[in-house]
Each structure stands twice: as C-alpha cells, then as structure tokens.
Amino acid sequence: MAAILSSSLFASSCLPKPLSHSRTHTAPPLLRARASLLQDNEEKVIVQDSFPSKSSPLHTTNGKSSVDSISTSAFEKGIIKVEQSVNIFLTDSVIKILDTLYNDRYYARFYVLETIARVPYFAFMSVLHMYESFGWWRRADYLKVHFAESWNEMHHLLIMEELGGNAWWFDRFLAQHIAIFYYIMTVLMYAISPRMAYHFSECVESHAFETYDKFLKVQGEELKKMPPPEVAVKYYTGDDLYLFDEFQTSRVPNSRRPKIDNLYDVFLNIRDDEAEHCKTMKACQIHGNLRSPHSYAEDDDDVSVCAMEADCEGIVDCIKKSVNPDPANVK
C-alpha cells in the first residue's frame, strides 16, 4: 500500500501547521487564507503532499520528526517512539489480514474499514464523558469534533451498506467483533495515553486514505459511469452541513462543498474525508491543541476562557489534578 504515495511523503507532516501549543490561537487568519485557496480550486484537494507513509513511524516536518518538533525530554521522546512503533505494528498486522481476506472484494473491505474506523471516536467520547462526570473535563470542542467525526464515518458506512458491502454474514460478523475489541482497546489506551490513542487512529485513517486512493486509480473510469448512492448525495449536498464542516478542523467552515455526480465523486470525497480525519488526529496528539472550526471568533476573545477550562491528559493526570487542583482554576 505504501507504494501508492510518493517517497517524498516521508519528509512531510500530516498537518499543514499545528495550532499554537501556547494557546494564543493565531490560526484564524491562516485558516481563512487556506480556505480561499481551496475555494479557488476545490477539486484539487492536495493530500499526497501532506500524508506520510504508514510505514514511517515518525512523521516529519522540514527534516524534523513530529517528536522533535515538540519540546519534550529525551525520555518522553523515547516513550513517543515506542508508542508509535507499537501502533504501526498493530496497524500493519490488521492490514495484512485485510489484504488476505479482501484482496479483490472492494466494497466488503470498505464496509469492514468503515465499521472499524468510527469506533475510536465512540471511545474518545466515552472516556471524556466519564471525565466530565467527575469534573475533570470541560473542553466541549473535543466532544463536538469527535461526534462530528463519528457522524462522518457513519455515513461512509451507510454508503458501503447501500453498495452491498455488508451482504455476507462473515463480513458483518468479522467487522462487528473487531469493532468491539477495538473499542475496548481504545478506551483503555485513551485513558492511559491520549497521545498514543490519537496516533493509532491517525494510522488507521492514513490506511483508509491509501486504500481509497488506490481504488480510485484502479477503478476510476468505471466509477465515473455509475450513479451515486442516495445517502451520499444527501450527506454531501444537503442543506445542513454543520457537522460536515465540524470534523474538518484544518479548514474554515463552508470552504469545502463537494459535488456528487457519480460514484467516482463519492469515493473521491470519502478519500478526502479520511485526509481531514488524519489531520485532526495529528493535531490532537499535542494536548490542548484541538478546537472546533466553528469556535474561532474574529477577535479571539474566548482564548482566555479556553485556557481556564478543566482538562487532563489521561486518567493518571486527571486524578493528580483532582487531588492537587490548580488554584487558578478553583472558583
């Protein structure tokens, strides 16, 4: 699968630029500029210049790995490398199984992928809701974005079902039982290390992008002759696209409005959705870096409020903060 992407991808990051880690949030002007460029040529969604190969454990930016781009100790960098190596091993193992079972059964493979792909967002929200119950978490943006991501993946799944990807009992059985195991694993991983859980999800989304990209190159001409599923037309061209904009955290809302004329357009947009998921998962690996694209204000008055919202990085950090709360955050 790695051959799908050019070798230049090893030197680029999954995110164009991460949001400011200092939470000064100077991103809105940059995002608006990015949106204007995308609107000028919406069909040329460049993802290959920003996507690393799944075989690269550390994504790079300007010759530096994502680990080196963050101010961390040597010990923490080592932990990050171990986490990412484990994630890549797990991802590659699952890919080998899927390659064996679904070599030329495209829609069935996509059905399995989409059943699995939405699971981590359920897991993230489950853990965050638990943190909220204990008063450990008050950052609504994470819940909003993760729900929008699950909503997007659900429609991918509905599309695959309409195309007959779930026709075989074995495929449904396999996908659903992998999803149960994946959910439990992700809940535990997210509670221990959100950074590792987000990176694992990034690996999954990156593989999904590569899979759809290869499919478009192989079956593109045939897909252009086929009509789009009704559920895809409603999702991508409906009147209410708030949630469609919400999961695309590297874009300004309303900057991407797909056209759906045939089945090729459907898979093209599914592929580009996976690119947006990958960017969001990349951003989430820096704690406190995620904000809803709808939450940016012109004057950014809410930055100080965001900085005061309760949050924590894993259950150990949550317990520590509950035992020794920051006086600045205690009302």
Side-chain angles (χ1 to χ4, degrees):
M1 298 295 296
I4 300 168
L5 305 178
S6 68
S7 59
S8 64
L9 302 182
F10 285 94
S12 41
S13 171
C14 195
L15 262 183
K17 285 283 185 180
L19 300 179
S20 174
H21 185 47
S22 62
R23 297 179 182 171
T24 54
H25 296 295
T26 57
L30 296 176
L31 288 173
R32 284 192 288 271
R34 178 179 293 278
S36 63
L37 292 173
L38 290 168
Q39 287 174 319
D40 289 341
N41 197 353
E42 181 63 30
E43 293 185 10
K44 296 182 180 180
V45 181
I46 301 176
V47 287
Q48 293 189 346
D49 289 342
S50 62
F51 262 71
S53 168
K54 65 178 177 61
S55 61
S56 175
L58 300 175
H59 309 313
T60 58
T61 306
N62 298 327
K64 295 183 178 181
S65 71
S66 61
V67 175
D68 294 332
S69 65
I70 306 171
S71 178
T72 57
S73 65
F75 175 76
E76 187 172 359
K77 289 179 181 179
I79 295 296
I80 294 173
K81 289 181 180 180
V82 170
E83 291 176 349
Q84 295 186 346
S85 297
V86 170
N87 287 341
I88 289 168
F89 171 77
L90 292 173
T91 306
D92 286 346
S93 298
V94 174
I95 290 172
K96 289 177 181 179
I97 296 173
L98 295 178
D99 287 343
T100 301
L101 296 176
Y102 299 100
N103 184 37
D104 56 355
R105 297 180 56 227
Y106 294 113
Y107 293 158
R109 181 184 184 124
F110 299 156
Y111 167 79
V112 174
L113 277 177
E114 295 303 343
T115 301
I116 297 171
R118 63 191 188 136
V119 167
Y121 308 119
F122 299 158
F124 300 157
M125 289 188 291
S126 295
V127 176
L128 293 179
H129 278 306
M130 182 187 72
Y131 290 171
E132 281 188 329
S133 299
F134 293 123
W136 298 343
W137 188 272
R138 291 294 182 266
R139 286 183 175 268
D141 281 12
Y142 278 73
L143 289 166
K144 289 170 61 181
V145 171
H146 291 333
F147 176 76
E149 288 177 304
S150 71
W151 188 253
N152 174 259
E153 297 288 11
M154 185 194 75
H155 282 84
H156 292 180
L157 181 62
L158 293 175
I159 290 169
M160 301 314 158
E161 290 178 347
E162 189 168 335
L163 292 172
N166 65 335
W168 288 17
W169 175 88
F170 171 78
D171 298 328
R172 299 194 301 273
F173 180 88
L174 179 67
Q176 292 162 6
H177 284 76
I178 290 177
I180 293 172
F181 173 79
Y182 188 22
Y183 174 80
I184 296 172
M185 184 192 77
T186 306
V187 166
L188 294 174
M189 186 185 293
Y190 192 62
I192 296 170
S193 174
R195 177 184 59 216
M196 183 177 183
Y198 283 130
H199 178 262
F200 188 72
S201 185
E202 181 192 0
C203 291
V204 173
E205 299 294 0
S206 181
H207 168 66
F209 167 83
E210 293 175 359
T211 301
Y212 288 121
D213 190 57
K214 179 180 179 180
F215 178 64
L216 286 168
K217 291 175 180 177
V218 173
Q219 301 289 332
E221 293 305 315
E222 290 299 319
L223 294 174
K224 291 177 181 178
K225 303 173 184 177
M226 303 172 68
E230 184 179 353
V231 65
V233 176
K234 290 182 179 179
Y235 176 67
Y236 285 110
T237 64
D239 294 331
D240 185 2
L241 294 177
Y242 180 91
L243 289 175
F244 178 73
D245 291 330
E246 181 68 16
F247 83 91
Q248 303 180 72
T249 56
S250 66
R251 293 174 177 268
V252 170
N254 303 314
S255 64
R256 179 185 168 206
R257 289 296 177 261
K259 67 178 183 68
I260 304 294
D261 295 331
N262 49 51
L263 194 55
Y264 180 89
D265 291 337
V266 174
F267 279 100
L268 182 68
N269 280 285
I270 292 175
R271 183 203 68 177
D272 295 340
D273 289 348
E274 305 300 354
E276 296 299 330
H277 285 300
C278 187
K279 294 174 187 177
T280 300
M281 291 298 95
K282 182 70 174 177
C284 287
Q285 291 169 48
I286 301 177
H287 178 62
N289 200 38
L290 181 68
R291 288 187 64 187
S292 161
H294 291 98
S295 69
Y296 287 103
E298 289 293 329
D299 54 2
D300 229 14
D301 285 338
D302 60 342
V303 171
S304 60
V305 176
C306 291
M308 295 293 290
E309 291 177 334
D311 70 347
C312 51
E313 193 171 4
I315 194 166
V316 174
D317 185 46
C318 288
I319 294 174
K320 286 181 179 179
K321 288 182 177 180
S322 67
V323 174
N324 299 301
D326 185 351
N329 292 336
V330 177
K331 296 183 180 179

